Amino acid sequence: MTTDTPARLLQLLSLLQTPREWPGAELAERLGVSRRTVRRDIDRLRELGYPVQATMGADGGYRLVAGKAMPPLVLDDEEAVAIAVGLRAGAGHAVAGVDEASVRALAKLEQVLPSRLRHRVSTLQAATTPLTSGDGASIAPETLTVMASAVAGRERLRFAYRAGDGSQSRRLAEPYRLVSTGRRWYLVAYDLDRDDWRTFRVDRVGEPFGTGTRFAPRELPTGGAAEYLRRSIHRRQETYGFVVAFAAPADVVAPRLPAWLGTPEPAGGRGCVVRGTSGEPLDWLALRLALVGHEFTVREPPELVECVRELAARLTRAAG
């Protein structure tokens, strides 16, 4: 039970910022207080300017809605628009470091943005084209925010899904976590139709929507979403280790190399070495290494060495 009123109000506000409706009984249980106390706390939030809406009836509850003005956050209109645009751009391209917490923040922020600011965010995004260093497919921010809301609200999710072979299906799942690999977003969820855990590439998801049906979270076999995703990917594809030496310092190579390929380590002289594991096609990895823009030598595996030779010969022929 949270006895400190300011701390309890912050906890209540955090729950209400999840885009769903919270029954009074559920809020009381989460906070460890009576329903009467919840009602008093809701009134306090309204006095502070937070637009909390209440619905009556057996299935009624509370939710935070967009009001005529931003709630009293330490953000002005320009800052709110800038943050929303930045989060949308980063989330849509799975930029390394923009993880599920950032997507949840985007879902919360867009939920309470006044319509005039929401329109400005959409207009700015439509008028700009981000240049990112990631190699993954772009994703509509709305897709991520719908999924993040379902994860946070423990709400079953329906969506269309396109498999790697192009086949289409409709899925009903209990979303567990969104995971970013730095190139792509994945949803770890319990697939109710397959009666098993599954991972879904978010760039292959279409028309996701929350069903309104709540669920009790199941326990993942591995205990962590990132670890489950890693094992799932490795089960589906053959992986290999590689070692590449660059004729440039580690701090020069690092910004040009995707983090998921490995971290450059200083070597003798002014060079560096990258050791990593990948399941990507060898010809793609050879091209990605060439795009770093510095001289390099593949030490292993032999298959990658041969692939680099073939790529070099092909480029030489293309140059006439």
Side-chain angles (χ1 to χ4, degrees):
M1 176 177 177
T2 305
T3 56
D4 182 69
T5 300
R8 190 176 65 247
L9 286 175
L10 287 175
Q11 187 179 354
L12 173 60
L13 181 58
S14 179
L15 291 171
L16 290 174
Q17 284 179 325
T18 301
R20 57 161 289 195
E21 189 163 292
W22 290 89
E26 188 174 352
L27 288 175
E29 181 180 353
R30 289 287 191 103
L31 299 172
V33 297
S34 66
R35 294 191 190 186
R36 182 180 179 184
T37 299
V38 169
R39 288 194 295 270
R40 287 202 304 265
D41 287 347
I42 291 292
D43 288 338
R44 290 190 181 99
L45 288 179
R46 287 169 174 160
E47 290 170 1
L48 291 172
Y50 288 93
V52 182
Q53 184 181 74
T55 55
M56 307 302 291
D59 297 325
Y62 303 95
R63 65 185 304 140
L64 197 62
V65 298
K68 296 181 179 179
M70 284 289 293
L73 304 176
V74 190
L75 294 173
D76 59 25
D77 286 1
E78 298 300 328
E79 291 168 336
V81 169
I83 291 173
V85 170
L87 287 173
R88 274 179 164 232
H93 289 80
V95 176
V98 180
D99 55 14
E100 186 199 352
S102 296
V103 176
R104 290 201 310 271
L106 176 60
K108 291 178 179 179
L109 180 59
E110 292 201 340
Q111 183 194 5
V112 295
L113 279 177
S115 59
R116 69 179 191 283
L117 298 187
R118 193 178 296 111
H119 176 71
R120 286 178 59 188
V121 171
S122 299
T123 300
L124 275 172
Q125 188 179 33
T128 58
T129 300
L131 177 63
T132 65
S133 58
D135 301 293
S138 61
I139 303 167
E142 293 80 5
T143 297
L144 284 169
T145 54
V146 167
M147 290 183 155
S149 297
V151 169
R154 299 174 183 176
E155 181 179 2
R156 287 182 177 175
L157 191 69
R158 280 196 182 277
F159 54 90
Y161 192 69
R162 174 177 53 82
D165 60 4
S167 60
Q168 302 279 348
S169 62
R170 300 288 303 181
R171 301 298 182 95
L172 175 63
E174 295 177 350
Y176 185 79
R177 288 290 187 276
L178 282 166
V179 182
S180 171
T181 65
R183 289 184 63 224
R184 295 190 178 100
W185 281 102
Y186 289 85
L187 174 70
V188 176
Y190 191 85
D191 191 325
L192 293 168
D193 297 319
R194 275 68 175 176
D195 195 25
D196 199 4
W197 288 96
R198 290 288 191 273
T199 58
F200 301 95
R201 272 180 49 175
V202 177
D203 59 296
R204 294 177 177 170
V205 168
E207 303 172 354
F209 66 92
T211 64
T213 302
R214 312 297 170 188
F215 64 89
R218 303 169 191 260
E219 184 175 350
L220 262 179
T222 60
E227 177 62 18
Y228 179 82
L229 175 63
R230 186 187 67 80
R231 294 186 183 185
S232 176
I233 291 175
H234 284 192
R235 282 197 304 269
R236 294 197 301 264
Q237 62 187 23
E238 182 180 353
T239 60
Y240 52 86
F242 62 88
V243 179
V244 178
F246 283 92
D251 61 346
V252 174
V253 171
R256 304 291 301 272
L257 192 73
W260 53 269
L261 277 180
T263 302
E265 303 171 358
R270 299 185 68 254
C272 66
V273 174
V274 178
R275 296 178 174 84
T277 301
S278 178
E280 300 289 349
L282 285 169
D283 55 352
W284 183 93
L285 179 58
L287 179 60
R288 193 64 189 81
L289 291 170
L291 289 175
V292 172
H294 295 282
E295 297 289 332
F296 68 94
T297 302
V298 177
R299 294 181 179 174
E300 58 182 76
E303 294 84 358
L304 181 57
V305 174
E306 183 59 30
C307 195
V308 169
R309 287 199 185 103
E310 292 178 1
L311 176 62
R314 192 177 308 124
L315 293 175
T316 299
R317 290 193 297 272

